[in-house]
Amino acid sequence: MGAARAGIEIVTGDITRLSVDVIVNAANERMLGGGGVDGAIHAAAGKELLAACRDVAELRAGVRCPTGEARLTPAFGLPAKWVVHTVGPIWHGGGRGEPKLLASCYRQSLQLALGQGAKSIAFPAISTGVYSYPPSLASTIAVRECDGFLADNPSFEKILLVAFRQQAADILRQALGALGTKQ
Ligand code: AR6
């Protein structure tokens, strides 16, 4: 449903079905799949995605992508062209740098997409599932970072913020509305 701000759109449903240049995966540091949206993306993309993830260099044992960073792979069987894998912070109450790390996920993902010449990207609600980040706080960060990116990169066409459930969409819409009133 409708865009509250040009360039940012909130949609409800399964991110793996979207025909955008880039979809973002809420991965973990190992980058070898998991549950939630990570499991759905790997299942829909096929086994080649796992092989591509395995090929990403390990920085240290078991860490291909540290929390707050992002890595790019092709999207294989998905309608998208690329997958950006980013690792959101696990929520520990907010005092362990979670807001900065989550903002960094959005920023790095958007920069990687830009570097590929992408014009459209879809994000799931990073960290708000297994990693327990409060959805309203996470949504505020998501819309702020996306809005800032679009202000800096006006030729980028579309950022979809994908809510898996209606309640998450309502929370995102509220955050987008609040952003509008601050400017
Ligand atoms: N499309 C869009 N959103 C989805 C989908 C989907 N197909 N499936 C789930 N979501 P989570 P996290 C939503 O747990 O909190 C994994 O095991 C979901 O409702 O997927 O960052 C990884 O391997 C929620 O709002 O990611 C990591 O170990 C959002 O996606 C860990 O979970 C994120 O939930 C990462 O946890």
Tab-separated table of all heavy atoms in Angstrom, residues 18 22 38 42 54 71 79 87 95 99-100 114-115 126 147-148 151 157 167 177:
chain	number	residue	atom	x	y	z
A	18	LEU	N	9.569	-10.359	-4.403
A	18	LEU	CA	9.626	-8.998	-4.957
A	18	LEU	C	10.640	-8.861	-6.097
A	18	LEU	O	11.779	-9.306	-5.981
A	18	LEU	CB	9.963	-7.998	-3.848
A	18	LEU	CG	8.936	-7.933	-2.708
A	18	LEU	CD1	9.406	-6.975	-1.627
A	18	LEU	CD2	7.568	-7.522	-3.237
A	22	VAL	N	17.636	-5.400	-5.598
A	22	VAL	CA	18.315	-5.998	-4.434
A	22	VAL	C	17.293	-6.346	-3.365
A	22	VAL	O	16.425	-5.522	-3.048
A	22	VAL	CB	19.331	-4.991	-3.828
A	22	VAL	CG1	19.959	-5.553	-2.551
A	22	VAL	CG2	20.405	-4.635	-4.843
A	38	ASP	N	15.846	-15.243	6.587
A	38	ASP	CA	17.066	-15.882	6.078
A	38	ASP	C	16.729	-17.254	5.484
A	38	ASP	O	17.119	-17.578	4.344
A	38	ASP	CB	18.041	-16.019	7.264
A	38	ASP	CG	19.464	-16.328	6.852
A	38	ASP	OD1	19.746	-16.369	5.638
A	38	ASP	OD2	20.299	-16.538	7.758
A	42	HIS	N	16.977	-18.276	1.432
A	42	HIS	CA	17.786	-19.410	0.952
A	42	HIS	C	16.914	-20.458	0.264
A	42	HIS	O	17.301	-21.009	-0.775
A	42	HIS	CB	18.589	-20.022	2.104
A	42	HIS	CG	19.888	-19.312	2.348
A	42	HIS	ND1	21.055	-19.640	1.705
A	42	HIS	CD2	20.189	-18.263	3.150
A	42	HIS	CE1	22.028	-18.833	2.101
A	42	HIS	NE2	21.525	-17.988	2.989
A	54	ARG	N	29.141	-19.359	1.235
A	54	ARG	CA	30.322	-20.089	1.712
A	54	ARG	C	31.602	-19.487	1.145
A	54	ARG	O	32.645	-19.488	1.798
A	54	ARG	CB	30.215	-21.546	1.274
A	54	ARG	CG	30.366	-22.528	2.406
A	54	ARG	CD	30.326	-23.945	1.884
A	54	ARG	NE	29.035	-24.571	2.076
A	54	ARG	CZ	28.571	-24.972	3.256
A	54	ARG	NH1	29.301	-24.823	4.343
A	54	ARG	NH2	27.387	-25.516	3.351
A	71	ARG	N	27.226	-7.869	3.151
A	71	ARG	CA	27.954	-8.545	2.073
A	71	ARG	C	26.988	-8.817	0.920
A	71	ARG	O	25.812	-9.086	1.157
A	71	ARG	CB	28.534	-9.890	2.551
A	71	ARG	CG	29.510	-9.788	3.720
A	71	ARG	CD	30.848	-9.187	3.285
A	71	ARG	NE	31.836	-9.217	4.379
A	71	ARG	CZ	32.005	-8.237	5.269
A	71	ARG	NH1	31.250	-7.148	5.224
A	71	ARG	NH2	32.933	-8.342	6.213
A	79	PRO	N	13.553	-13.446	-7.960
A	79	PRO	CA	13.312	-12.418	-8.976
A	79	PRO	C	14.278	-11.235	-8.879
A	79	PRO	O	14.491	-10.537	-9.866
A	79	PRO	CB	11.868	-11.954	-8.707
A	79	PRO	CG	11.322	-12.799	-7.622
A	79	PRO	CD	12.408	-13.664	-7.080
A	87	VAL	N	23.840	-8.226	9.002
A	87	VAL	CA	23.652	-8.865	10.310
A	87	VAL	C	23.269	-7.797	11.319
A	87	VAL	O	24.088	-6.950	11.702
A	87	VAL	CB	24.927	-9.604	10.760
A	87	VAL	CG1	24.699	-10.298	12.094
A	87	VAL	CG2	25.345	-10.607	9.690
A	95	GLY	N	21.631	-0.790	25.361
A	95	GLY	CA	22.860	-0.189	25.892
A	95	GLY	C	24.141	-0.767	25.320
A	95	GLY	O	25.237	-0.429	25.757
A	99	PRO	N	21.370	0.614	18.502
A	99	PRO	CA	20.868	1.558	17.490
A	99	PRO	C	21.902	1.883	16.417
A	99	PRO	O	21.577	1.923	15.231
A	99	PRO	CB	20.497	2.797	18.310
A	99	PRO	CG	20.232	2.273	19.685
A	99	PRO	CD	21.212	1.154	19.873
A	100	LYS	N	23.149	2.077	16.818
A	100	LYS	CA	24.200	2.393	15.827
A	100	LYS	C	24.446	1.211	14.899
A	100	LYS	O	24.652	1.366	13.691
A	100	LYS	CB	25.501	2.756	16.540
A	100	LYS	CG	25.518	4.196	16.986
A	100	LYS	CD	26.936	4.711	17.159
A	100	LYS	CE	26.897	6.213	17.374
A	100	LYS	NZ	27.479	6.651	18.616
A	114	LEU	N	23.953	0.611	-4.148
A	114	LEU	CA	24.350	1.738	-4.996
A	114	LEU	C	25.584	1.380	-5.826
A	114	LEU	O	25.649	1.662	-7.021
A	114	LEU	CB	24.655	2.940	-4.094
A	114	LEU	CG	24.795	4.293	-4.744
A	114	LEU	CD1	23.461	4.739	-5.331
A	114	LEU	CD2	25.271	5.323	-3.709
A	115	GLY	N	26.525	0.730	-5.197
A	115	GLY	CA	27.765	0.319	-5.869
A	115	GLY	C	27.519	-0.642	-7.025
A	115	GLY	O	28.334	-0.739	-7.945
A	126	ILE	N	14.864	-5.804	9.815
A	126	ILE	CA	16.089	-6.406	10.363
A	126	ILE	C	16.076	-6.392	11.899
A	126	ILE	O	15.716	-5.377	12.504
A	126	ILE	CB	17.328	-5.631	9.856
A	126	ILE	CG1	17.392	-5.654	8.327
A	126	ILE	CG2	18.621	-6.181	10.447
A	126	ILE	CD1	18.318	-4.573	7.752
A	147	ASP	N	15.542	7.499	4.444
A	147	ASP	CA	15.245	8.876	4.053
A	147	ASP	C	16.538	9.668	3.816
A	147	ASP	O	16.667	10.394	2.830
A	147	ASP	CB	14.404	9.525	5.154
A	147	ASP	CG	13.895	10.884	4.736
A	147	ASP	OD1	13.174	10.941	3.734
A	147	ASP	OD2	14.231	11.874	5.398
A	148	GLY	N	17.491	9.495	4.700
A	148	GLY	CA	18.783	10.187	4.560
A	148	GLY	C	19.499	9.749	3.290
A	148	GLY	O	20.074	10.567	2.562
A	151	ALA	N	17.863	11.292	0.258
A	151	ALA	CA	18.192	12.721	0.165
A	151	ALA	C	19.570	12.894	-0.488
A	151	ALA	O	19.777	13.801	-1.292
A	151	ALA	CB	18.157	13.357	1.545
A	157	GLU	N	15.699	4.968	-7.048
A	157	GLU	CA	14.255	5.088	-7.294
A	157	GLU	C	13.355	4.672	-6.139
A	157	GLU	O	12.378	5.343	-5.829
A	157	GLU	CB	13.879	4.287	-8.545
A	157	GLU	CG	14.321	4.994	-9.818
A	157	GLU	CD	14.312	4.104	-11.045
A	157	GLU	OE1	13.747	2.984	-10.983
A	157	GLU	OE2	14.897	4.518	-12.064
A	167	GLN	N	0.647	-5.924	11.438
A	167	GLN	CA	1.023	-5.111	12.605
A	167	GLN	C	2.373	-4.409	12.385
A	167	GLN	O	2.544	-3.241	12.731
A	167	GLN	CB	1.091	-5.995	13.850
A	167	GLN	CG	1.121	-5.184	15.129
A	167	GLN	CD	1.405	-6.053	16.347
A	167	GLN	OE1	1.760	-7.228	16.229
A	167	GLN	NE2	1.257	-5.475	17.524
A	177	GLY	N	5.419	8.342	9.181
A	177	GLY	CA	4.626	9.546	9.434
A	177	GLY	C	5.342	10.478	10.393
A	177	GLY	O	5.386	11.697	10.180
